[in-house]
Amino acid sequence: MSRYTGYVTRGRKNPLHYGLPWRLHEVRYEVGLTVHEMGALAGLSNSVVSYIENGRVPLLDSVERIALAVGVSPCWLAFGADGAGRFRQKIARTAERSRLSETPHPIKGATVMLGSKDAPTRCQYARMRLGLTRIALGEAAGTSGVTVGAFETGRNRPRLDLVERLAMALDVAPCWLAFGVGPGPELDPGP
């Protein structure tokens, strides 16, 4: 048994989205698609998959489109096995869980409703439950209140790293904020 299991004593974990290029490459290899074929299947430009595999942070809806196109969980693809739980900087990574999506593979040409389309509403709900202003949430997430406002009103399609930072600041699972999967805001226990 390795002495490196359990809790990390010092330092911080990398953000969960850092593993996206590796996970995407692994899935693409397993299904036997080129980057161009995967992009076309997801309805994205040919270069998007290549950019992601080379370490660029994609837009949230792009990750979801790719995941649904190849039949894996958008949560797993975006954030890995830990994405469905609240992100804790000091807890070591758990074993990889199944990445198989419960969503059936979409039929080519079918309209698929993306869970990421409701991310702005979930962000606003969680922020208001905590009694935070957009400026306060922006400061906690390392961005601006204007950026939070643009996300919450749907004026801006967020990148994956912003969604993860907002989820940490809101103390919700990154997958809950991004796709509606996992623990959201704590509910009031009542009297």
Side-chain angles (χ1 to χ4, degrees):
M1 183 167 154
S2 171
R3 66 184 194 137
Y4 296 105
T5 58
Y7 290 90
V8 176
T9 57
R10 290 187 285 182
R12 294 182 178 267
K13 292 189 326 183
N14 284 331
L16 298 175
H17 73 274
Y18 275 21
L20 172 62
W22 175 83
R23 289 187 296 272
L24 180 60
H25 178 75
E26 178 187 38
V27 168
R28 188 174 61 77
Y29 179 77
E30 285 179 11
V31 296
L33 296 173
T34 67
V35 292
H36 299 293
E37 292 168 337
M38 184 176 268
L41 187 61
L44 300 169
S45 71
N46 291 338
S47 58
V48 171
V49 175
S50 179
Y51 286 149
I52 296 170
E53 282 190 5
N54 287 314
R56 288 207 180 147
V57 180
L59 295 172
L60 179 61
D61 60 337
S62 297
V63 174
E64 188 172 24
R65 288 177 186 281
I66 291 168
L68 293 175
V70 295
V72 298
S73 162
C75 177
W76 176 84
L77 185 59
F79 302 111
D82 294 335
R86 288 183 172 83
F87 186 79
R88 302 286 187 233
Q89 285 287 349
K90 294 281 187 178
I91 297 176
R93 198 177 161 85
T94 60
E96 289 283 318
R97 291 183 278 279
S98 173
R99 65 178 172 267
L100 295 177
S101 173
E102 298 195 12
T103 306
H105 189 284
I107 299 169
K108 187 173 183 174
T111 303
V112 176
M113 295 303 292
L114 301 178
S116 61
K117 73 174 182 59
D118 293 325
T121 304
R122 286 189 293 272
C123 183
Q124 184 176 22
Y125 172 75
R127 177 181 60 78
M128 294 175 82
R129 295 278 303 161
L130 292 174
L132 296 174
T133 65
R134 289 176 175 168
I135 294 170
L137 176 57
E139 288 174 0
T143 190
S144 70
V146 172
T147 300
V148 173
F151 171 47
E152 286 184 352
T153 60
R155 290 189 318 256
N156 186 9
R157 291 173 39 217
R159 289 183 358 172
L160 203 54
D161 56 345
L162 173 64
V163 172
E164 187 172 352
R165 289 193 325 265
L166 288 170
M168 284 178 54
L170 293 167
D171 194 29
V172 297
C175 286
W176 178 83
L177 184 56
F179 311 111
V181 176
E186 293 293 327
L187 299 177
D188 293 332

